Amino acid sequence: VQNKRCQFTIDTSHIDSDTKQLEVWALQSTGSNIISEVRTFLVDTEQYYEDTTRFAVKNKRGDYDHFTYTQMHSEILTAEKTRSRRELPNTFTTKDRGLTVDKVVSEKIFTCYSRYIEEAELQWWATIIESDEVYVIVNDVQYAVDIVTDSVVTYTHTDLVQLKIDWTYAVTR
């Protein structure tokens, strides 16, 4: 059957901290012939991350996918200043300024990294780069954000990849 989804539950009672991955495939209903590709899922038994960033992302079907970036994140504050220079009179004091800041425009840019994923998962995770609606979830409240740079994918020697994104709030908070 084409274009039909099937959902099933995996009994996780046998998964412990030593389990690193699960392999899943479809078997023919009569016999033991594998009739699908084998999918490998990395098991993350770590239940708590101190530095998580959770996103809701509108996908191409109009539904929302959710991604949690569990690795390191950082914040950088950038500021652009418009300055002007004026001539000071001969009677200037130490409090007078010849260079004046007329306008300051600042922006806080956040960077976060995904966990290590298989390259096959990268297409799904890349949705966050392509989407026109991305929200960061903070204390169960969604805030609109803009993804401000292209993604950077880091490859490892174990055929795993890590996705890095830079983002900023779409509105002033």
Side-chain angles (χ1 to χ4, degrees):
V1 179
Q2 285 187 341
N3 297 327
K4 295 262 180 154
R5 288 186 171 190
C6 139
Q7 184 176 355
F8 57 92
T9 304
I10 297 174
D11 178 10
T12 60
S13 62
H14 301 289
I15 296 176
D16 58 21
S17 62
D18 294 330
T19 305
K20 301 299 180 205
Q21 66 184 33
L22 295 174
E23 290 185 347
V24 179
W25 58 87
L27 294 176
Q28 197 170 20
S29 60
T30 58
S32 60
N33 294 334
I34 296 176
I35 58 171
S36 71
E37 70 271 15
V38 176
R39 293 291 182 132
T40 302
F41 296 91
L42 300 178
V43 176
D44 186 358
T45 55
E46 193 69 36
Q47 296 297 314
Y48 174 77
Y49 295 99
E50 189 173 319
D51 295 330
T52 61
T53 307
R54 182 120 172 109
F55 294 97
V57 180
K58 186 175 183 181
N59 60 32
K60 292 178 181 175
R61 295 181 318 275
D63 298 325
Y64 286 88
D65 292 327
H66 291 80
F67 301 92
T68 302
Y69 283 70
T70 58
Q71 302 303 311
M72 181 189 81
H73 73 269
S74 63
E75 302 173 13
I76 297 174
L77 180 63
T78 61
E80 274 188 41
K81 296 180 180 181
T82 305
R83 297 179 174 100
S84 62
R85 184 171 296 279
R86 67 185 176 110
E87 283 195 39
L88 295 175
N90 289 337
T91 58
F92 72 91
T93 67
T94 56
K95 293 184 181 183
D96 288 330
R97 300 180 66 94
L99 188 61
T100 304
V101 176
D102 299 321
K103 180 179 176 184
V104 177
V105 177
S106 64
E107 179 177 48
K108 189 181 278 192
I109 299 194
F110 300 85
T111 300
C112 58
Y113 296 85
S114 71
R115 62 179 168 76
Y116 286 99
I117 57 177
E118 290 188 350
E119 194 164 3
E121 287 182 90
L122 183 60
Q123 184 175 3
W124 181 62
W125 279 71
T127 306
I128 198 167
I129 307 292
E130 301 164 349
S131 178
D132 59 350
E133 280 189 45
V134 180
Y135 301 91
V136 67
I137 302 169
V138 179
N139 296 326
D140 295 326
V141 178
Q142 291 186 3
Y143 298 96
V145 298
D146 290 324
I147 305 301
V148 294
T149 62
D150 295 331
S151 67
V152 175
V153 179
T154 305
Y155 290 85
T156 68
H157 65 283
T158 58
D159 294 328
L160 296 176
V161 297
Q162 186 176 43
L163 184 62
K164 169 193 168 276
I165 62 164
D166 294 335
W167 60 275
T168 186
Y169 286 99
V171 294
T172 305
R173 288 187 56 205

